[in-house]
Amino acid sequence: MYIIMAQRRKQDSSNGTNEYNPNFIVYRKMESVIQRMQDEKNGVPVRTVKSFMSKVPSVFTGADLVQWFIKNLDIEQTEALHLGSLVSAHGYFFPITDHVLTLKDDNTFYRFQTPYFWPSNHWEPENTDYAVYLCKRTMQNKSRLELADYEAENLARLQRMFSRKWEFIFMQAEAQAKVDKKRDKMERKVLDSQERAFWDVHRPVPGCVNTTEMDIKKACRLNKPLKTKKQMAYNVPGGRISPSVSESDLRTPIEELQSQIESYKRRLDRRKYKLSKIADLLITSCQQYAEYDALITAPEPSNPWISDDTTLWDLSKTMSLRDVPIWRVKRWGFSLEELLMDSLGREQFGKFLAKEFSDENLRFWLAGGELRSTSLSQVPEKVQEIYDEYLAPGAHSPINIDCKVLESIKENMQDPGRYTFDPAMEHIFQLMKSDSYYRYLRSDQYKELLNPKKKILLRKTKSLIPKLPSLANKMETFSQS
């Protein structure tokens, strides 16, 4: 793997990209400081530390490094910590027991990175290199080389990505593991930690800054211009970021738009789902709605489009639970959208939510829908009413939304419009869809509407049971006698 990396680095340096790299000056300044730190007489004291059962070679403490910064660079402690963290984030030195590349003013052990892995060498590893490294780590049965959670997730993702050539990657990792076993124990420890630190820079822990992913840096390396939307709109001729790029390399806005159109066309031709899966979904949907299609299934009592009988339309609008047809109630179980489209369905769902003390979710969602059809002159007043009722501190009917949604709504409140509460409406809809809706389908309230014959049978059974005289009536009869 490192032979391929070295060839790639040599090719980049032969192209002369280092000279025009925007960060090249910064790298050189950092490396001059690192060289002073590695000086045998006036540098940071590097030593081998003895632990309980082993030795830790070539390390120094964070406190020693901070003191060296203060003494040699004439800066304060906070500045020393900040500068050290910046240098560590670029991979020039690293903690030996942590994946987070920061400097701490304590007895944490650090180690210098080998110059081969310095970012000034200006080469970027590929995903296949990272896959080989992670695969090699799984072959080494040592606790210090166990994969972290995010590394295990990355390995699984890479295995799916390179499923066709995973056997070749595994063979490379196995060959590298055999070579590592032949090295001296101390040397192997140092090389393993340096290799891990290199990947901590290029594939950092989630939440850490990746100092290698910079668009201006990549564009300079590839000798391509970095064009922004502003430059495209105004056709700025001097939109180069490197003297190595000539004016002829810059594409005009028309060429840029044409390339985007071609890219979108290629995406349209690309299938994201299997045709068999799409056909199964289409067949299932057709079978589900066949009962409601008058061309496939004859409606009862008659089709109002070819007869003068409008009973079917009356049944589809009735708000009486006694007259509601079963086919209408059955359609509520298809989806929450179908339930909320039906006026009687909304009413019954609202009653169910009221029993669970969560009807404010439905009322808020309906109020947001009414806001979209409100005239523009009344929108600000309506927005404030909804906010005071459901979202303001101490609201009468507060709804359950997360802080990110609430912050986006507060930003929208600065310029209120018909779609101010859309983020909260989507959040509440998904909440009802995943929780309240399925509980409603399992409730006795819905089952009674779905099976009215069972409900009538229960009523008749209750009416046939003779009423027994109460205890008060017995006492009156006894006293009279």
Side-chain angles (χ1 to χ4, degrees), residues 132-143:
V132 171
Y133 164 70
L134 294 177
C135 191
K136 182 180 69 173
R137 286 267 300 275
T138 59
M139 299 176 184
Q140 298 169 339
N141 299 324
K142 293 185 179 180
S143 58

Side-chain angles (χ1 to χ4, degrees), residues 258-270:
Q258 288 177 348
S259 64
Q260 289 184 7
I261 292 172
E262 293 297 329
S263 176
Y264 292 148
K265 287 182 179 179
R266 288 193 296 270
R267 290 184 184 180
L268 287 174
D269 295 335
R270 202 177 303 161

Side-chain angles (χ1 to χ4, degrees), residues 222-236:
L222 299 175
N223 285 336
K224 291 182 179 179
L226 180 67
K227 302 188 71 176
T228 62
K229 294 181 179 179
K230 186 175 180 181
Q231 292 172 352
M232 288 177 59
Y234 296 100
N235 194 16
V236 178

